Amino acid sequence: MIERYSRQILFEGIGEEGQRRLLASRAIVIGCGALGTAQAEALARAGVGKLRLVDRDFVEESNLQRQTMFTERDALERMPKAIACARHIGEINSQIKVEAEVADVNQSNVERLIQGCDVVLDGTDNFGTRYLINDACVKHDVNWIYGAAVGSYGVTMTILPHRTPCLRCVFPETPQAGTAPTCDTSGVIMPIISIVAAAQVSEALKLLTESTGNLHGSLMQFDVWQNVWRSIKLGAPSEDCPTCSRGEYETLHAEAGDFAAVLCGRDAVQIAPARATRLDFESLAGKLRAAGEVKVNQYLLRFRAGDYELTVFPDARSIIRGTSDVGLARSLYAKFIGA
Ligand SMILES: [Zn+2]
């Protein structure tokens, strides 16, 4: 162990004691896409003793430009990302324990998944899942590290329940469906992934080695194309935050989930946002044209993405044809409509 981690042990912020703590820690990476695989690889190399990896998607060719852990073979075999990630990590560091779970993270499993973890790393691609992680982590007092990247822009912050602001303190409302850019409509370049993941992993290492005095305590924002590096200092949790102040964890209750998803027919799923909204079809169509074929009239917008067809209504309700898998439909909705 001394040789393998020698350069990290030499680093005075970690040392032998810090290394022992890392080896005795358990981290969970939720979402094994670009951010999540970068986080998982760094944590594995650093010797975090137990890693739990969760993702519901399969590797696709269009992932390879930025999801640096995956290979052409993973895409060809359409490997589940959590499994492919665990397999590669096994080759990188066979001395740590890796658990992979192919699952859609939702209110039915999030509390179980974070149980026993010392830190949660956000590798997800949508706000719905992040609010769910936030509620579960604040409720169970588990530290978590928010991170997001789209285009050339990225953002991260570290949440220590009841000590720092939570995600809802900083962003009280989910962005309205269809308004936020996503990687599938606006693209993304790899360097911003590396930066956000590196910032998240640095915070994880500080937390796991109990160097909490070195945490950045900020909402950090980066734009590698516009050359912006900004850090906004965060204070105490908000007194108006329902999660922090009143212990209301609305996303953990099934009836208040972000989406009502129902099977409709043999090969279609309907997704409806919980919050009423009016979509701007013109701007949504503009974004989606970069990703596939779009047809739009005043009543509905129809978008074809590979084997799937999304029919979107003005209230942001959507019927996704080509699958009867609710988790997959939620994932397509998050990718293309964005919420
Ligand atoms: Zn809060």
Side-chain angles (χ1 to χ4, degrees):
M1 109 126 179
I2 298 296
E3 181 54 28
R4 172 163 204 137
Y5 303 112
S6 58
R7 303 303 187 273
Q8 191 166 277
I9 291 169
L10 275 173
F11 172 64
E12 64 170 2
I14 293 187
E16 278 193 39
E17 181 56 32
Q19 189 62 51
R20 258 192 291 278
R21 286 187 169 140
L22 291 177
L23 287 164
S25 303
R26 183 196 295 270
I28 178 170
V29 172
I30 300 185
C32 299
L35 282 174
T37 50
Q39 296 156 7
E41 177 174 347
L43 294 172
R45 290 188 188 275
V48 171
K50 298 186 198 81
L51 275 182
R52 188 173 285 168
L53 309 169
V54 191
D55 194 286
R56 60 140 295 106
D57 269 336
F58 297 85
V59 183
E60 293 173 282
E61 192 185 11
S62 67
N63 301 149
L64 300 179
Q65 155 262 351
R66 65 193 180 283
Q67 303 189 12
T68 54
M69 185 176 268
F70 299 132
T71 62
E72 290 183 351
R73 188 171 170 175
D74 295 326
L76 211 62
E77 293 176 355
R78 289 182 64 76
M79 287 292 291
K81 289 182 176 180
I83 304 292
C85 184
R87 187 182 287 177
H88 293 304
I89 282 179
E91 292 171 355
I92 290 165
N93 189 345
S94 59
Q95 294 167 10
I96 61 167
K97 190 167 177 286
V98 183
E99 308 161 321
E101 189 148 342
V102 182
D104 174 49
V105 176
N106 55 46
Q107 74 276 354
S108 75
N109 58 12
V110 66
E111 292 177 82
R112 171 181 64 79
L113 287 167
I114 67 162
Q115 208 167 53
C117 293
D118 301 295
V119 66
V120 177
L121 285 101
D122 173 16
T124 68
D125 62 356
N126 67 87
F127 254 88
T129 312
R130 292 191 182 105
Y131 280 100
L132 190 74
I133 294 171
N134 188 65
D135 278 357
C137 285
V138 174
K139 180 178 173 187
H140 295 282
D141 206 15
V142 178
N143 300 322
W144 80 279
I145 305 168
Y146 158 62
V150 63
S152 57
Y153 170 80
V155 58
T156 178
M157 100 186 209
T158 302
I159 291 119
L160 313 180
H162 304 294
R163 288 195 279 160
T164 68
C166 80
L167 190 69
R168 203 177 282 280
C169 291
V170 178
F171 305 107
E173 295 279 350
T174 331
Q176 281 212 338
T179 59
T182 75
C183 293
D184 296 85
T185 58
S186 302
V188 61
I189 55 173
M190 202 202 79
I192 189 58
I193 302 289
S194 308
I195 285 170
V196 173
Q200 289 179 283
V201 170
S202 305
E203 292 282 280
L205 296 180
K206 294 172 203 171
L207 283 169
L208 297 176
T209 57
E210 297 179 23
S211 306
T212 47
N214 288 88
L215 294 168
H216 58 64
S218 309
L219 180 71
M220 301 199 63
Q221 296 169 307
F222 317 99
D223 190 318
V224 292
W225 211 259
Q226 304 302 331
N227 310 307
V228 175
W229 298 75
R230 190 165 39 210
S231 120
I232 302 164
K233 274 285 165 204
L234 296 169
S238 162
E239 288 174 13
D240 300 324
C241 174
T243 313
C244 291
S245 296
R246 301 198 293 279
E248 291 169 11
Y249 310 111
E250 63 168 16
T251 66
L252 298 181
H253 305 296
E255 65 275 17
D258 278 303
F259 301 101
V262 290
L263 286 168
C264 54
R266 198 171 56 83
D267 207 27
V269 177
Q270 175 179 283
I271 305 276
R275 199 153 62 93
T277 184
R278 291 303 290 179
L279 278 184
D280 177 350
F281 272 174
E282 278 313 306
S283 89
L284 182 61
K287 285 195 297 178
L288 289 173
R289 277 195 185 100
E293 186 194 333
V294 182
K295 285 182 182 154
V296 62
N297 60 35
Q298 67 187 110
Y299 307 108
L300 57 86
L301 178 153
R302 193 160 280 159
F303 169 63
R304 179 165 283 285
D307 297 338
Y308 308 106
E309 186 190 72
L310 282 74
T311 304
V312 190
F313 300 93
D315 60 0
R317 188 170 56 84
S318 182
I319 291 175
I320 294 150
R321 279 184 209 290
T323 183
S324 53
D325 177 341
V326 168
L328 174 61
R330 279 160 45 94
S331 159
L332 290 165
Y333 190 93
K335 278 183 180 172
F336 293 111
I337 312 303

